[in-house]
Amino acid sequence: MSDGRSLVYLVTGGCGFLGRHLLGVTLEKEKRVCEIRLFDKVVDPRLTEQSTGTENVIQACVELGVQYLVYTSSMEVVGPNVKGDPFIRGNEETPYNIAHAMPYPRSKAEAERIVVRANGTEVSGGKTLHTCSLRPTGIYGEEHQLMKDFYDKSVQAGGRLILGVPKNTEHGRVYAGNVAWMHLLAARGLMEEPQTVGGQAYFCYDDSPYKSYEDFNLQFLSAFGFSQVHVPLAALWFLAVLNDVLRWLLRPVCRWAPLLNRYTLAVACTSFTVSSDKARRHFRYTPLFSWAECRARTQAWVDTFPGLGAKKDS
């Protein structure tokens, strides 16, 4: 904060998918902003731990007298776990058997602990650092690389969608613009009611429909006329186990990270839906974009994909 009225925001990862949405929402909705600084870098994909980087951010806040920090965590700090235990409309207090089997959720959980623990730390100038953490469910929207990858793989498969997740699986998806909006509201909450918001973690969801990841993506890709090939779940589990074994065997010579493994398949097949009621109570979060707006914006972007015929001709 540069004075009593003007705000300076630093967005780490500001050139990424969520960072671009956060920039747009902040410029549109934060009337007191006088400057937004974007910080980004290319990260070596071999690096899996985030805790050191998070500690560096906290230290920078201490040295520079920064008072407010909102951390982008993930629902995966809670689950789904590889045992397939469902989590239905859960909140931040819902009991769950948390078991981190992969580096991403493990490092996210550790980074979140560091951020929450830093709440109340004294910073330069005798001020106090106030922190909170947001846990989005599966984020989607314009420029979402995973949705683009889903489309590209279908094109590479000759216009076939390879499906295998049980139809009754439900996941909570959240539009990137609404995630950005919650970040802005959480930052305001830290400034206005630090005794309530500080040191807290919040699930982040909107009004997007509960569907499996596959069915959710199909809502946007159906116009391409892909045929659907349903693979038995048992076959997918066999391939996932095989990939894990091959990854272990190849570890001494190279780092191979197949998209399909036991963890990713467990996540895809396990129902995991959350409630954002705590965020509504603590800093008055409601989605900025309705489901109709989220769908229209995402569909407009998907409609720019070249289509199956154009891919074949290229």
Side-chain angles (χ1 to χ4, degrees), residues 45 101-104 146 149 153 236-251 254-268:
M102 296 292 285
Y104 176 77
L146 288 180
D149 290 345
K153 288 183 182 298
L236 290 179
W237 276 110
F238 174 79
L239 291 174
V241 171
L242 179 61
N243 282 344
D244 281 342
V245 171
L246 290 174
R247 182 179 60 181
W248 181 79
L249 291 173
L250 293 172
R251 187 166 54 181
C254 68
R255 294 189 67 88
W256 179 56
L259 182 60
L260 178 63
N261 55 59
R262 284 177 296 174
Y263 173 72
T264 57
L265 188 56
V267 169

Side-chain angles (χ1 to χ4, degrees), residues 94 132 158 226 288:
T94 302
C132 69
F226 294 136
L288 178 63

Side-chain angles (χ1 to χ4, degrees), residues 39-62:
F39 177 80
D40 210 335
K41 58 184 263 186
V42 177
V43 178
D44 188 329
R46 294 173 297 179
L47 300 178
T48 57
E49 296 298 331
Q50 299 181 16
S51 56
T52 301
T54 304
E55 290 171 346
N56 290 339
V57 170
I58 298 296
Q59 186 59 37
C61 290
V62 171

